[in-house]
Every structure is written in structure tokens, then in C-alpha cells.
Amino acid sequence: MPKAIFFDLDGTLTDSGPGIMNCAEPALAHFGIQVRHRDELRVFVGPPLRQSFARFGVPEEDIDEAIRVFRERYVPIGKFENTPYDGIDGLLAQLKAEGYALYVATSKPEVTAMEVLEHFDLAEYFDRICGASLSKGRETKEDVITYLLDQIGDPGQVVMVGDTDYDVIGAKAHGIDTIGVTWGYGQRESMQQAGAVALADTPDALHALLTRRFQSLEI
């Protein structure tokens, strides 16, 4: 059977935290919301912006405005305050050479995800890059995976790779197991509690875990 890997983007392939946090801070300040420590903004990396702004107390009726202020800086500047994690390029090249079909399933707007991956010369590894829509309707990881599956049909044997419990939960809704990576912005314990089948501390460890996981799926 075909072997497919669905990758999260932020916190999994690239360290997008600096740019996201640099844009979340003024968006919150727009509503008079201050954070005591910058690390509090780490929760913006991964989940849909709508959820993160609500978490910080932005009223539902103001969330669209918060997202507008966020994107006002993020679109021209913040999306490139970003760096691929060490070893990711080599990992993707190796997996592609081994015959895996690679896909991106991210809560980042799809057009932005494509721009980021093309900017860092990573887009070439993926058969399809799927993300959130700029309008309401496709925001959560579960929504994005639904959209991806609609585009590609039955992917055969598939594993999700992500750095937060949102990835684990979104994939589990489709009966897909997740291997969590610990170099991103999620918590080991949260991913384990959500049901991650394994955790990888390095890209090399991720490759080994993926190899073993697909071997076990073949039995």
C-alpha cells in the first residue's frame, strides 16, 4: 500500500514562533491585553488564531479584528521571521527518496504555508500543501485533514507528525496515529495524554520511528 506522512508546519518543520509571537503581542495590545512574559505567547504557535485570541480574553465579537491586526504585520514581515529546524531538509529528502508520499496539514492559512515552504526551498518535497482558509470554515487541524483527504482520496498507510496535542487530536478524529516531535512548541505530556503513539527528540529519531511504525502497519 502507499505510505503517506502528514506533516504539521509551525513547530514541526520550521521554528515560526518568533514571527508569530511578534505579531500576537501587538494584536493583544490593540485590545489593552498585556502579557507579563513573552513565553506566554508560545501558545499561539500551532492552534488556530481564533482559539488563541479567545484564550487570552479577546471577546468573540472582536476576534476578527484581532486576526486582522495580527495579519497586518504577519503577512509582510512575521511569516519570514522563521527558520527551518536543523535536519529537516535532510529528513524530507531521505523520506522522499524512500518512496513516501509527503503532505502538509497546517492550521496556518494555506497561501501563507505555501509561501513559507517555497521561501525555504522545502515545498518541492510535498505532493500537496493544505492549510486553513482565510475565511471561516476551515480552521482546525481536523478540518484541514478532512480537506486534505478530500483532495487526495485514500492515502493508504498514513501517519501524522506534529508538535502539539492539537495535531494528535485532529489526526485521531480521522483514525490517524501521530508521532509527536519535541523540538516545537507543544508539551510532551499533552501529546502523550492526547494519544501520540511515540515522541521524537530529533529528526533522526523521527526517521527511525516512522520506519518502525510503517513496518508495524504492514504486519
Side-chain angles (χ1 to χ4, degrees):
M1 292 183 66
K3 299 176 182 179
I5 305 170
F6 294 176
F7 280 93
D8 173 52
L9 176 52
D10 295 337
T12 299
L13 298 175
T14 69
D15 183 2
S16 55
I20 291 173
M21 291 189 287
N22 288 345
C23 300
E25 191 166 14
L28 290 172
H30 184 73
F31 295 96
I33 300 170
Q34 303 293 330
V35 294
R36 291 174 297 176
H37 304 290
R38 181 176 167 83
D39 279 355
E40 295 177 48
L41 299 173
R42 289 172 62 90
V43 298
F44 272 89
V45 185
L49 287 174
R50 188 167 298 277
Q51 292 183 21
S52 298
F53 280 120
R55 181 172 181 170
F56 276 82
V58 177
E60 175 62 31
E61 62 271 20
D62 291 329
I63 288 179
D64 285 341
E65 172 67 3
I67 293 173
R68 184 196 67 77
V69 175
F70 177 96
R71 288 179 176 158
E72 193 171 57
R73 184 185 186 281
Y74 187 77
V75 170
I77 301 170
K79 65 188 176 188
F80 297 127
E81 295 173 323
N82 193 353
T83 309
Y85 287 106
D86 288 344
I88 287 298
D89 187 286
L91 171 68
L92 296 175
Q94 185 175 9
L95 292 171
K96 196 70 176 176
E98 291 170 351
Y100 293 96
L102 307 182
Y103 302 92
V104 169
T106 175
S107 297
K108 181 186 291 296
E110 186 171 299
V111 62
T112 307
M114 290 180 176
E115 289 172 343
V116 168
L117 290 166
E118 288 170 358
H119 179 75
F120 292 117
D121 295 324
L122 297 177
E124 63 186 288
Y125 296 116
F126 297 100
D127 292 9
R128 188 172 291 270
I129 297 166
C130 289
S133 54
L134 288 171
S135 58
K136 295 178 183 178
R138 191 172 76 241
E139 298 182 12
T140 68
K141 187 55 60 81
E142 181 180 348
D143 293 339
V144 172
I145 294 175
T146 298
Y147 171 65
L148 172 55
L149 292 171
D150 286 344
Q151 302 300 306
I152 67 174
D154 182 2
Q157 299 167 348
V158 59
V159 172
M160 179 78 201
V161 175
D163 71 308
T164 71
D165 55 341
Y166 292 96
D167 300 307
V168 182
I169 294 167
K172 185 185 290 185
H174 293 278
I176 297 170
D177 288 335
T178 299
I179 295 175
V181 300
T182 62
W183 55 77
Y185 286 78
Q187 302 296 320
R188 300 179 68 100
E189 297 78 10
S190 296
M191 288 188 283
Q192 289 171 327
Q193 291 170 5
V197 297
L199 297 179
D201 294 326
T202 66
D204 285 344
L206 175 58
H207 180 267
L209 286 169
L210 286 166
T211 300
R212 289 201 294 270
R213 188 65 187 171
F214 280 105
Q215 287 173 344
S216 70
L217 291 174
E218 292 172 352
I219 296 175

